[in-house]
Amino acid sequence: REAHSFRLCLGEREKITMYGRRPMGYGRQRQVQRMDPEASRAMMRQLAELPPLTTAVYRGGTYVAKKFPITTFLYAFGMVLMLFASGLTVSEQAHEEYADLLESSQAESAALEAAEQRHAMASRDYHNSRGFLGFGCDQRCQQYKAKVDKYDRELQVARKAQYAALSEAKSKVGVFSMYAVQEARDLFWRTFAAGKGFAKRSSMWDLLFMGIGSMGRDEGIASFVLRFAFQVLINFTMGLVGALVAFVWYLWGLVKSYQPDPVTAVAAFFVFTVAATSMVVTTLLGLYGAVAVPVYSMAYTVGQNMRIEGGE
């Protein structure tokens, strides 16, 4: 017994076959995999040869610009448009015609609002009159359904009438006017905000579940933060790319509402898409850079310390 107790105190990792259990702490020790000395020295040399951050960014940007000149030009062109373009100024006559037609379209807008209210009330009555879990629909329910179908047809007619009235007003100013550019900007920022909202909500839930999942694991705070940062990058990439897809999906309808000729419509669609894509790419580059810069700075500092120690 004394010898057995002595082995336990020394932390022996052998299995105790007599009692069928292991000493305390057994199984929680990590298996440390040693790196090959040659590979370790090669990695140290690479760290010591890392250039400063500004030099690395300059070299990377120069390489991309030379490798993909057209893409780089379109990116710069889109950012210039996004930051400085405000649209063409319309003439006084076109502005007056636009304002008059826009004011005259208020009747169609009011009719559309009333049709939407009637449709919403009928839909509410129809859903409330349905059977358990919506599987049954008696005679009273069928009457409400007929009303819903009727108001739905009226709603579609009202929407077409409003679209035609607004489109006639927009045709007086053109798709490259300041009104069209501002409307495209508003559409982009709405979809952009929706994409950011998706990324924030996803990151919040990821933080919750990652925190719960790491409670029973031996994980350092630095590893957890780095893992969460990469998950945030994935969420924002998905959210902003989805926002860009949604913007492009709705953009063609916006361009058509100004009634341009086919060539002008395609040109406007291309220009607005390039500007939106450049903004999304810039945002993602900023997010990825916010994670990559601290990691690179730490690696550069380690490399410089190793170079100094090697010199000494």
Side-chain angles (χ1 to χ4, degrees), residues 82-264:
M82 201 68 192
L83 294 175
F84 303 107
S86 58
L88 301 177
T89 304
V90 299
S91 62
E92 188 68 24
Q93 180 181 358
H95 175 73
E96 291 179 357
E97 293 178 354
Y98 172 76
D100 293 339
L101 292 173
L102 196 62
E103 185 177 359
S104 64
S105 67
Q106 296 300 320
E108 285 78 6
S109 300
L112 175 61
E113 184 177 357
E116 289 176 344
Q117 292 178 356
R118 291 193 299 270
H119 185 270
M121 294 177 62
S123 299
R124 182 192 60 190
D125 295 337
Y126 167 64
H127 287 292
N128 291 336
S129 64
R130 299 179 69 179
F132 180 70
L133 297 179
F135 291 110
C137 187
D138 55 12
Q139 183 178 0
R140 177 169 169 267
C141 174
Q142 291 294 333
Q143 293 176 356
Y144 283 125
K145 185 178 184 302
K147 286 186 177 181
V148 170
D149 296 337
K150 173 186 174 183
Y151 291 142
D152 185 68
R153 290 190 295 269
E154 293 180 358
L155 180 60
Q156 297 302 324
V157 172
R159 283 176 176 171
K160 291 181 180 179
Q162 190 211 30
Y163 179 83
L166 292 177
S167 180
E168 184 180 359
K170 292 177 180 180
S171 64
K172 303 300 180 182
V173 293
V175 72
F176 284 112
S177 64
M178 56 184 182
Y179 302 103
V181 172
Q182 186 60 44
E183 188 175 358
R185 284 181 178 273
D186 295 339
L187 174 62
F188 171 76
W189 290 119
R190 283 199 304 270
T191 56
F192 189 86
K196 286 197 306 181
F198 166 81
K200 290 179 181 179
R201 290 189 299 270
S202 300
S203 300
M204 180 187 66
W205 287 110
D206 287 336
L207 177 61
L208 176 63
F209 288 111
M210 288 172 64
I212 295 175
S214 61
M215 291 176 62
R217 294 164 44 182
D218 187 10
E219 184 179 19
I221 185 65
S223 175
F224 177 81
V225 170
L226 189 61
R227 191 158 59 94
F228 177 67
F230 280 112
Q231 189 62 43
V232 170
L233 291 179
I234 294 174
N235 293 335
F236 271 90
T237 301
M238 294 175 58
L240 295 184
V241 171
L244 179 61
V245 172
F247 169 76
V248 174
W249 178 267
Y250 293 114
L251 178 61
W252 183 248
L254 185 150
V255 171
K256 284 202 309 180
S257 66
Y258 284 84
Q259 300 182 11
D261 59 87
V263 176
T264 305

Side-chain angles (χ1 to χ4, degrees), residues 34-87:
R34 297 185 178 276
M35 184 180 296
D36 182 63
E38 186 64 28
S40 178
R41 285 192 293 270
M43 185 183 69
M44 292 180 181
R45 286 194 298 269
Q46 291 178 357
L47 289 176
E49 294 173 358
L50 284 177
L53 178 61
T54 55
T55 304
V57 173
Y58 173 77
R59 290 177 181 176
T62 304
Y63 172 80
V64 172
K66 292 181 178 179
K67 187 72 174 180
F68 309 99
I70 298 178
T71 304
T72 304
F73 170 77
L74 290 177
Y75 168 75
F77 176 66
M79 284 306 302
V80 170
L81 291 176
M82 201 68 192
L83 294 175
F84 303 107
S86 58

